[in-house]
Every structure is written in structure tokens, then in C-alpha cells.
Amino acid sequence: MNYLRVGDLGQDGFLNALDLSIRAKRDPAHFGSALAGYEVGLFYMKPSTRTRVSTEVAVSQLGGRPMTLRNEEVGLGKREAPADVARTLDRYLDVLALRVFEHEHLDIIGAHAKAPVINLLSDLEHPCQALADVQTMSESRSLPGSVLTFIGDGNNVCHSLMMAAAMLGVEVRVAAPEGYEPLPEYVEAASQYSSVLVTADVNAAVEGSDFVYTDVWASMGQEDEAAERRRLFEAYRVDEKLFERANDGAIFLHCLPAHRGEEVTDGVADHPRSRIFDQAENRMHSFKGILLYLTQ
Ligand code: CP
Ligand code: NVA
């Protein structure tokens, strides 16, 4: 089984992976040799801090061996076809995890490798982030019936988060400028599990929210659009005034890296109810959860 999209696991599988993530955090020693003998390939076509470090540490702490590869060496789709890269790496490695531009490359690799393939971020999803996000959310309150508002660009982080939160019974709202809404297929898929609202009205969306989440306005690879996006997303900055519209006790979330002063102010990122570094920590525990789920 692969974890390329949050929906790949189904609701039961996703709950199972979340449970393993929570147990791995609570009792890391219990899983200290769960991946003994496993070689885990971690491949990057884009920069990374959290994913790079949390995944390597997670594999090591499970008793496996991480091997990080950069695209400068592999040349995915240029030096070698993705299907051939997959069939080659599959002969050496027991798990493949990749950060790519085109999600289609992951689909091809997933189809040509027998080893489980994990998405470490693509243009379509960031499913490992979403597992850490719901783990973090579950640490603050019971999730069914709670309200999460994602503000900003409805792309990879938003897609995975919508699915993950909806599968846990969270009401999902997305406030995005026109033209930057999540793809209809994600709205439809998440709506099968919970109520989902997509709106351009950011103030109304935040009212009554228990969780307020944002991401950068220009993702990796979209640097050329940064100036235009700054103009279009200006009204979607999460500042203290907007955050105050959320419920008392509401939690602020961000996958990081943050562009402070753009999508979020320092006052919110460093707010006593910001959980952004818990999210970063949980990337490690939840990567263990997903590895345990896919290999045991
Ligand atoms: N949140 C996240 O994926 O961070 P990195 O890009 O630093 O890995
Ligand atoms: N949407 C961002 C997330 C970074 C973790 C990007 O794709 O760059």
C-alpha cells in the first residue's frame, strides 16, 4: 500500500495511522526496533527542513536505515524515467518516500515499486503533514464537531488537511481568493465525511472556528508568482484581529516554513495559542505512525 494521498488509507486506515502516531509519541522505546533491517529511501526535488530531518530521525529511532537522495543526483524524469527510477530503487530499498513537483511522478513510481511509496509533498497533496496536523489538533481538544478554517491557497497542504480533518469528523471551512480554491474533487471527497464550506469571505469563515490554519501564499516552485500573489492574498493575512474572531481558546496552525508578515503576523505565529512547533515535532511522530502502518 502507498500513502500518496490522505484518501489512500481510507477512514479506518487513517485512524489507525493516527493511533500509531500517538502511541509512537507516547512510548517511543516500544517501537525501537520495529523497522530493524529496513532501508528507507528519502528523495527530494525541493528544499526541506522539517521533512528532511523528522523523517531521518523517525526511521533511525524505529531501528531502520534512512538514505536521503537529492534530485541533483537522480534527475527524475530528465536523467531517467520515473518508472525506471522506481524499478531500480525498489531492488535496494524497502520503503520509498519522495518530495516531487508533479504528483503524476508519484503515481508512476507507486505503480512500479513493490515497496510502499510515501508522498513527502507534491503539487497536489502533503499527506504526511496532514497526519501531523490532526495529531496536533487532537492534543488540544476532541475533534468530532470542532471547526477548522484553512485560510489561503487551496493547494497541496489544504487538500490533504481537508481530507484528514473531515475523516475525523471536523467541520472544514476554506477561505481562499477567487481562483485559488481547492480542487472540486477534494471538496467532494471531504464532503463525504463532514461539512465542507469554501468561501472568499475570510471574516465569516473564521467566526466560530476552533482551529485557524494558513500556509504560504506562494509555494515552492511558484516564486515567480510571489508578487502577484501578495497582492491577491493581502486580505487573507492571519493577523491578531482576524484570529480574535475565532472561538475563545482557538488554536493557530501552520505547516511552516512561514513567511512572517505575509500570510501570518508575528503576533499570531508566536501567540500563546499557536501550536506551530508542536506540529513540526509531530511530523516525526506521525512519520513513525505512517511507516508502522505501511510496514507492519
Ligand atoms: N512543513 C514542511 O514540509 O516543512 P519542510 O518543507 O521544511 O519540510
Ligand atoms: N504549500 C507549501 C507547503 C510547504 C511545506 C509548498 O508547497 O511550498
Side-chain angles (χ1 to χ4, degrees), residues 81-207:
D84 289 348
V85 172
R87 284 181 283 202
T88 301
L89 293 180
D90 201 33
R91 299 288 177 111
Y92 315 125
L93 300 167
D94 303 296
V95 178
L96 299 176
L98 305 98
R99 170 168 286 197
V100 300
F101 285 93
E102 296 164 52
H103 191 91
E104 199 192 343
H105 282 165
L106 290 177
D107 285 333
I108 294 169
I109 290 164
H112 287 88
K114 288 194 260 338
V117 179
I118 301 174
N119 178 0
L120 296 179
L121 184 145
S122 68
D123 54 352
L124 214 52
E125 289 219 20
H126 196 357
C128 294
Q129 180 69 49
L131 187 57
D133 296 338
V134 291
Q135 180 172 6
T136 311
M137 289 163 64
S138 74
E139 289 168 353
S140 78
R141 55 160 293 157
S142 154
L143 295 187
S146 63
V147 179
L148 163 77
T149 298
F150 178 92
I151 300 167
D153 190 12
N155 77 341
N156 48 13
V157 168
C158 175
H159 288 154
S160 295
L161 180 69
M162 287 172 75
M163 276 302 286
M167 288 204 290
L168 290 163
V170 176
E171 180 186 327
V172 177
R173 301 174 187 170
V174 178
E178 205 188 319
Y180 294 88
E181 298 93 347
L183 291 173
E185 67 209 63
Y186 282 95
V187 179
E188 196 182 312
S191 300
Q192 288 172 11
Y193 297 102
S194 186
S195 152
V196 178
L197 169 82
V198 180
T199 176
D201 187 343
V202 65
N203 290 322
V206 172
E207 299 281 347

Side-chain angles (χ1 to χ4, degrees), residues 47-51 99 126 129 220 255-257 283:
S48 172
T49 303
R50 277 143 293 273
T51 307
R99 170 168 286 197
H126 196 357
Q129 180 69 49
M220 290 180 275
C255 53
L256 301 178
R283 291 294 310 277

